[in-house]
Amino acid sequence: MSTATHYSPGLTSQRAPSAHPARAASIVGHRDRVPVPRSSGPQGEAPRTVPHDAPWVALPPGFARLMRGENPRLVSEIVEQICRQLPEYAQLFEEDSGALLRRATGRVLDHFAELIAGDRSSSVASATIHRALGRGESRAGRSLDLLQAAYRLGARLVWRRYAMVARHTGVSQGTLALLAEVIFAYTDQIVIAAASGYAQAQTDEPGTQRFLRQKLLRSLLAGEPAYLVAEAARAARWKLPAVLSAVVLLRPGVPDSPAERTALGSAGAARLRHRPDVLAQLEGPEAFLIVPEPHAPGAREQLAELLGDQPAVVGPAVPWASAAESLRWARTVAERLPGTVLADTSGPTYCDENLSALLLLGDQALVGLVSERCLAPLRGLTPNRRRHLEATLLAWLEASSGSAPEVAVSLGLHPQTVRQRMRRLEKLFGDALTDPQSRFEIDLALRGRLLQEREAARTAGLAVPADRALLSPAG
């Protein structure tokens, strides 16, 4: 089987078209010509042996200078046509990485020119670059067909420009044919290298998917532009939900702090593998999940099954673009409420059921100031008397009718006891109990004070009565 092709390069000078005499003289000068013995062939040129695996060795080094002169314009043309014909890549060139991609395109052309000039090490460097490119395309979730289409488009544009300039130098048809073979042989090599890198990434599918899902998680929580998050979600094969919740995981049975958070454990991690719709960060001191559609039918049961006996705080359900806010609020609850309150429960605490408490936890110093001012009429009472009146006042504010029997039922008291307390409160607060703004501030102050008392009691190891709780686990 033949291992070579015979060409008649015809590198002796031919008359250049009159419109380009200078280029013909300067690009393929006398020192670049390869003397060949005359033969009896129709062109009077001796055939040259061209290796199939390296046809570029048959081209004169002078072609390298020709190529380098065209490469800056060629890079712009390749980028423009790729963006026009392959829209999937258009966005990449418009982003911050666009300049890097342009330089990479220019580097590919430079490698080709170096190969023609006789630098064989450029072939190894080029293969390394394109294997890495193939791995990157796999991790980005783009198809190998798309990458190969970009290579084919680039090869056509390279051939068109190089051939046009080569013809202006006056080379023969045989040399043009050899140039075409060189371009497409080089393209084959880099396509094979890229496909090898792509296949290598595919064989490491679990690792690739972990990488892509972590990239998506970072993109979601960093509040990146929607198109970047959507691209990351597509690459990770994760459907963006209408709403989601962040779930902060806590260590059961001990006070909570960021350093004491833990992952789900081996059993929970095994259950998580059957929930590809859940994103997870289980390593490090701040373990959490991202759960889509937390209020969909059956979602709570599924989350409880996934968590097992792992206590957790489920952040508010928010649009996916606000994922960081859900995580922030879940962390706020986990960090500012005593950990044992949450850790002693067998199920997750849902922030959506306690949004007023989230508001109070947002700025405890401000809530404390509001409490001091709005509840000043109770300041001179004994602690026990003050707590009784505060509980009665809050129950009255929450009651739909505000009647003594309704308040009495909620507190487990006799209606007459409630009436006596309410008369005392009306005397202390006066018109404030009938003013909507004052009632709102008093309600806020009461809830804030209860949160503070609850935290102080838990810190001291004391029990908190159930009727003093504002943030309780969902059953």
Side-chain angles (χ1 to χ4, degrees):
M1 179 180 294
S2 174
T3 60
T5 302
H6 296 281
Y7 280 97
S8 297
L11 295 174
T12 52
S13 63
Q14 298 181 14
R15 186 173 184 81
S18 58
H20 299 84
R23 175 167 292 187
S26 62
I27 294 180
V28 185
H30 178 75
R31 64 184 181 85
D32 295 321
R33 298 178 188 138
V34 179
V36 296
R38 294 291 177 180
S39 72
S40 58
Q43 298 291 330
E45 300 171 349
R48 298 187 64 195
T49 299
V50 181
H52 283 307
D53 59 345
W56 38 81
V57 300
L59 283 175
F63 266 108
R65 189 166 68 253
L66 179 151
M67 295 168 184
R68 292 191 184 102
E70 296 298 321
N71 284 350
R73 283 172 290 182
L74 187 52
V75 168
S76 297
E77 185 179 358
I78 290 173
V79 170
E80 177 185 352
Q81 290 303 315
I82 285 179
C83 291
R84 179 178 300 175
Q85 299 186 38
L86 302 173
E88 295 87 346
Y89 286 127
Q91 190 67 58
L92 296 178
F93 281 98
E94 294 173 4
E95 297 165 9
D96 293 339
S97 57
L100 180 62
L101 291 172
R102 287 175 180 272
R103 286 197 296 272
T105 303
R107 189 59 184 143
V108 171
L109 298 178
D110 289 342
H111 275 145
F112 185 47
E114 290 162 7
L115 196 63
I116 301 302
D119 183 1
R120 300 300 179 250
S121 65
S122 65
S123 181
V124 176
S126 179
T128 301
I129 290 173
H130 291 282
R131 279 193 295 270
L133 179 59
R135 288 193 297 271
E137 290 298 282
S138 174
R139 289 174 176 172
R142 288 183 286 271
S143 71
L144 183 58
D145 289 342
L146 183 65
L147 178 60
Q148 291 175 336
Y151 279 126
R152 289 193 298 269
L153 174 58
R156 290 200 305 271
L157 296 172
V158 167
W159 159 244
R160 184 181 303 166
R161 177 168 290 274
Y162 287 173
M164 177 186 68
V165 176
R167 279 193 293 267
H168 292 159
T169 69
V171 300
S172 69
Q173 291 298 317
T175 302
L176 285 175
L178 177 58
L179 176 61
E181 180 177 353
V182 168
I183 290 172
F184 293 109
Y186 180 75
T187 303
D188 285 344
Q189 284 200 358
I190 62 177
V191 166
I192 290 171
S196 173
Y198 194 96
Q200 182 182 9
Q202 292 289 299
T203 59
D204 186 28
E205 180 68 13
T208 300
Q209 280 302 302
R210 284 194 298 272
F211 170 83
L212 292 175
R213 289 169 74 86
Q214 289 301 306
K215 180 181 178 182
L216 168 60
L217 204 53
R218 291 192 298 271
S219 183
L220 268 174
L221 298 178
E224 292 185 346
Y227 71 87
L228 289 180
V229 178
E231 173 69 16
R234 185 184 64 81
R237 302 170 190 170
W238 194 74
K239 182 180 179 181
L240 284 171
V243 295
L244 53 75
S245 283
V247 181
V248 173
L249 307 179
L250 309 174
R251 183 192 296 271
V254 297
D256 174 58
S257 72
E260 291 168 331
R261 294 191 188 144
T262 184
L264 288 169
S266 57
R271 292 191 295 270
L272 185 62
R273 285 194 287 272
H274 298 287
R275 290 292 305 273
D277 60 321
V278 176
L279 301 177
Q281 172 59 58
L282 301 180
E283 299 176 357
E286 296 193 338
F288 63 90
L289 311 174
I290 297 294
V291 179
E293 309 294 350
H295 298 315
R300 289 199 173 194
E301 292 76 9
Q302 293 173 4
L303 180 58
E305 181 181 357
L306 173 63
L307 294 175
D309 60 357
Q310 168 73 58
V313 177
V314 182
V318 296
W320 62 260
S322 301
E325 291 301 304
S326 182
L327 180 59
R328 180 173 68 87
W329 279 118
R331 284 174 171 167
T332 296
V333 171
E335 292 168 0
R336 297 188 182 180
L337 282 184
T340 52
V341 173
L342 299 174
D344 289 343
T345 69
S346 58
T349 296
Y350 279 84
C351 293
D352 271 334
E353 297 178 349
N354 305 277
L355 292 179
S356 60
L358 287 181
L359 178 64
L360 297 173
L361 290 169
D363 192 331
Q364 289 184 300
L366 180 59
V367 172
L369 179 61
V370 172
S371 298
E372 286 297 316
R373 292 183 178 180
C374 293
L375 301 181
L378 303 176
R379 191 176 299 160
L381 303 178
T382 63
N384 191 51
R385 182 63 173 165
R386 179 181 58 79
R387 283 194 295 271
H388 287 163
L389 289 181
E390 285 181 353
T392 302
L393 181 54
L394 182 57
W396 177 74
L397 290 170
E398 292 178 336
S400 58
S401 65
S403 65
E406 183 181 359
V407 175
V409 169
S410 67
L411 294 177
L413 299 174
H414 193 280
Q416 186 60 31
T417 303
V418 172
R419 292 189 184 96
Q420 292 174 356
R421 291 182 181 180
M422 286 306 303
R423 283 194 291 270
R424 177 65 171 161
L425 288 167
E426 289 171 358
K427 184 177 179 179
L428 290 170
F429 285 90
D431 294 339
L433 296 184
T434 59
D435 177 67
Q437 178 68 25
S438 297
R439 285 164 60 102
F440 170 76
E441 292 177 355
I442 291 172
D443 193 329
L444 190 71
L446 288 169
R447 293 174 183 275
R449 176 163 290 181
L450 288 181
L451 280 175
Q452 292 174 340
E453 287 183 359
R454 182 177 186 176
E455 184 165 355
R458 289 298 182 183
T459 301
L462 303 175
V464 176
D467 64 353
R468 305 292 285 178
L470 288 178
L471 190 64
S472 57

